[in-house]
Amino acid sequence: MFEGILPAIITPFYRDSRTSPDIEGLQSNIESLLQRGVHGIVPCGSTGESATLTFEEHEQVIGKAVEVVNGRVPVLAGTGSNNTEEAVRLTRSAKDAGADGALVISPYYNKPNRSGLIKHFTKLADLDIPIVLYNVPGRTGQNLQPDLVAELARHPNIVGIKEASGDITQISRIIEETRDEEFSVISGDDAMTLPVLAIGGAGVISVAANVDPGRMVGMYEAFRAGDLARARVLHYELAALMRAMFIDTNPIPVKKAVELLGMAAGPVRLPLDELDEAKTEQLRKVLVNHG
């Protein structure tokens, strides 16, 4: 269900005192991505600044994404929280809005024990919506181990994982241990997309695809067509852009890049702050060189 290039979309804001969500801009951005052939849309993830959206804004953004996409590709809605009941509310709301699945980050800060993790994810999966786990130790302070992921994958509604540990050995182990399940392993790092595809992964939940969806899609489709040489060329064409997306905390650089390209973006919300002048100039040069 979830494979290929799935942009983790930004949430554009107006430059007003409340940094209100720019829903018209959101719609325009999604349409632009769809026209360039992406295979899914992921609203309200880390790149969508989910941590600083209110419940009402979260629900509004997901509802608009579902409405605009209108069944053309799957919508995988970010609904995670470090509070299980908050995650239940967001996941149930995404299901009611018509999202095709929920992307659920492992609880951050709490550092739950193994049984707590199992109960947390199981409670969400029991809401009867496809769940994609999200492992990003750099943000959560806790790594979802392959044996735990394999155990969770036995639940019929836990259908995949976004793996952003940066550990190709771990990713390979998860693929190995879930081969008997209907379970997709999706890269959470743009730069690891091609290596993860090569060992059996399903695609990437991508930051860079907000900026250059066409080349990201081209790399994926070349690989699927068996043209590894072409996929490798596109990987290296994208490499500088992929690195530039992390010259500061995500989504600070990608929002600035999208704005420089004339799309809806606006500021990031505090406690994030906008890209400084030196890094903005660095990003601008990368975009010019990227073409």
Side-chain angles (χ1 to χ4, degrees), residues 148-208:
L148 173 63
V149 175
E151 180 174 346
L152 289 166
R154 299 188 191 109
H155 192 296
N157 290 330
I158 297 179
V159 301
I161 186 170
K162 176 184 176 182
E163 236 298 338
S165 66
D167 184 342
I168 196 70
T169 301
Q170 172 166 299
I171 296 169
S172 176
R173 180 80 179 274
I174 293 170
I175 293 171
E176 178 186 354
E177 294 199 10
T178 59
R179 284 178 298 176
D180 295 333
E181 310 294 338
E182 292 186 9
F183 190 82
S184 299
V185 178
I186 304 164
S187 176
D189 295 300
D190 282 304
M192 293 187 70
T193 303
L194 189 55
V196 170
L197 287 171
I199 61 172
V204 62
I205 294 177
S206 171
V207 177

Side-chain angles (χ1 to χ4, degrees), residues 8 18 33 90 100 129 134 142 151 196 211 227-228 231 246 253:
R18 296 185 299 112
L33 291 169
L90 291 170
D100 299 283
I129 180 173
Y134 179 14
Q142 188 171 42
E151 180 174 346
V196 170
V211 180
D227 190 349
L228 182 58
F246 294 91

Side-chain angles (χ1 to χ4, degrees), residues 62 102-103 118 169-170 180 204 244 257 268 277:
I62 291 171
L103 177 66
I118 290 170
T169 301
Q170 172 166 299
D180 295 333
V204 62
V268 288
E277 290 184 13

Side-chain angles (χ1 to χ4, degrees), residues 2-3 9 18 20 25 50 52 60 63 74 85 99 118 127 134 136 138 154 157 160 184 215 217 228 259 265 274 289:
F2 304 110
E3 60 183 15
I9 61 172
R18 296 185 299 112
S20 309
S50 59
T52 52
Q60 182 185 26
E85 290 310 310
I118 290 170
L127 296 174
Y134 179 14
V136 56
R154 299 188 191 109
N157 290 330
S184 299
R215 260 185 272 207
V217 169
L228 182 58
E259 185 175 59
E274 295 195 66
N289 291 337

Side-chain angles (χ1 to χ4, degrees), residues 61-183:
V61 168
I62 291 171
K64 177 55 70 171
V66 171
E67 176 190 325
V68 173
V69 170
N70 194 27
R72 287 177 281 179
V73 296
V75 174
L76 178 62
T79 64
S81 173
N82 67 336
N83 177 327
T84 301
E85 290 310 310
E86 287 184 2
V88 166
R89 170 178 169 168
L90 291 170
T91 303
R92 185 179 285 125
S93 174
K95 177 185 176 183
D96 292 345
D100 299 283
L103 177 66
V104 180
I105 195 168
S106 60
Y108 38 88
Y109 186 76
N110 311 58
K111 299 186 78 171
N113 57 9
R114 184 185 180 95
S115 61
L117 286 168
I118 290 170
K119 289 178 180 178
H120 174 82
F121 287 119
T122 298
K123 188 165 187 175
L124 298 172
D126 285 345
L127 296 174
D128 198 26
I129 180 173
I131 298 293
V132 175
L133 313 173
Y134 179 14
N135 186 40
V136 56
R139 285 186 180 263
T140 65
Q142 188 171 42
N143 184 39
L144 297 182
Q145 298 292 336
D147 63 320
L148 173 63
V149 175
E151 180 174 346
L152 289 166
R154 299 188 191 109
H155 192 296
N157 290 330
I158 297 179
V159 301
I161 186 170
K162 176 184 176 182
E163 236 298 338
S165 66
D167 184 342
I168 196 70
T169 301
Q170 172 166 299
I171 296 169
S172 176
R173 180 80 179 274
I174 293 170
I175 293 171
E176 178 186 354
E177 294 199 10
T178 59
R179 284 178 298 176
D180 295 333
E181 310 294 338
E182 292 186 9
F183 190 82

Side-chain angles (χ1 to χ4, degrees), residues 226-281:
D227 190 349
L228 182 58
R230 176 62 179 160
R232 189 184 297 119
V233 166
L234 290 169
H235 166 84
Y236 285 112
E237 286 183 4
L238 286 157
L241 176 66
M242 292 172 176
R243 289 192 297 271
M245 294 300 94
F246 294 91
I247 58 174
D248 208 327
T249 303
N250 180 50
I252 297 170
V254 69
K255 280 199 109 169
K256 180 57 68 176
V258 167
E259 185 175 59
L260 291 171
L261 293 174
M263 298 168 66
V268 288
R269 273 184 173 169
L270 289 171
L272 300 180
D273 196 10
E274 295 195 66
L275 206 62
D276 65 32
E277 290 184 13
K279 288 180 178 176
T280 297
E281 185 57 30

